[in-house]
Amino acid sequence: MTIPRRSWRAAGTLAAAAVVGLTGAVLTAGPAAAHTPTWAVTCTEVSLHLTAYNDDVTNQVTVTVDGKDLLPTESFGKGLDKTIALPDHDKALTVRLIVKAGDGDQYSKDDTKTAPVCEGHTSTPTPTPSETKPSETPTTATPTPTVKPSESASSSAPAAATPSPSSPDLAETGSSSATPIIGGAAAAVLLAGGGIMWSVRKRRTAQH
């Protein structure tokens, strides 16, 4: 049985098309199966397991917690395995993973997970600081200065009175220049009296 050449040509065309299609499917499935960003979040840590990335380009990964960097932007190649401890917390945290593939944004990843509070850790409310009023400063009364007695005699003290020349003479006390004269007169009077008494007695004696 002879197969026409036309039939061979048709079969060859179909086979070539099938090979091309299969090759395209394999090439398409390859990148789709690559770039595997696996990560997990617990109450204490964040685990990163990034695999099958293109090692010929620069890939980057960033992890934030409540908007703050937990893992600042870090470059990696074919893959990255890392475990990062979470800070102590008494409320749930929002953890965000950002992976930027160097060979296309279609292989990048932006995902968010929640880190719960660990069991046995109770939330402690933050006490509100009370307003402290400044204590009133007691007013200290200023003591009235005590008037000190003058240490020296006042210059306005009255001076000793000086007797005026026109004042009457005061009575003399004690001895004076007239005392001997008075004494002599008294002695003369006594002598005279004694003489008179002696004369009287003598006359009386002569009469008898």
Side-chain angles (χ1 to χ4, degrees):
M1 180 178 177
T2 303
I3 301 176
R5 291 183 177 181
R6 184 178 295 179
S7 297
W8 280 108
R9 290 177 180 177
T13 302
L14 291 176
V19 171
V20 171
L22 181 61
T23 303
V26 171
L27 293 176
T28 304
H35 304 85
T36 307
T38 303
W39 70 305
V41 176
T42 66
C43 68
T44 59
E45 63 185 19
V46 177
S47 301
L48 302 179
H49 186 60
L50 311 179
T51 59
Y53 279 81
N54 189 347
D55 195 20
D56 295 331
V57 296
T58 300
N59 307 297
Q60 294 180 332
V61 58
T62 305
V63 179
T64 62
V65 174
D66 286 347
K68 298 179 181 179
D69 285 343
L70 179 66
L71 174 65
T73 302
E74 182 175 327
S75 300
F76 68 98
K78 187 176 181 179
L80 175 70
D81 285 302
K82 185 181 288 287
T83 300
I84 311 167
L86 287 170
D88 292 337
H89 53 281
D90 53 8
K91 63 179 181 179
L93 301 177
T94 300
V95 184
R96 182 182 180 187
L97 171 69
I98 302 174
V99 179
K100 186 175 182 181
D103 53 355
D105 289 340
Q106 68 272 24
Y107 306 123
S108 298
K109 185 177 183 63
D110 190 337
D111 194 11
T112 300
K113 293 185 179 182
T114 300
V117 178
C118 294
E119 294 182 3
H121 186 91
T122 57
S123 176
T124 304
T126 304
T128 303
S130 59
E131 182 179 356
T132 305
K133 295 182 178 180
S135 59
E136 296 182 0
T137 305
T139 304
T140 305
T142 304
T144 304
T146 306
V147 178
K148 295 182 179 181
S150 176
E151 297 180 359
S152 59
S154 174
S155 59
S156 62
T162 304
S164 174
S166 61
S167 299
D169 294 337
L170 298 176
E172 293 182 355
T173 58
S175 60
S176 65
S177 59
T179 300
I181 299 174
I182 296 174
V189 171
L190 289 177
L191 290 176
I196 292 172
M197 289 293 294
W198 182 78
S199 299
V200 173
R201 288 181 180 179
K202 186 175 181 180
R203 289 178 181 178
R204 288 180 179 177
T205 302
Q207 291 177 358
H208 293 289

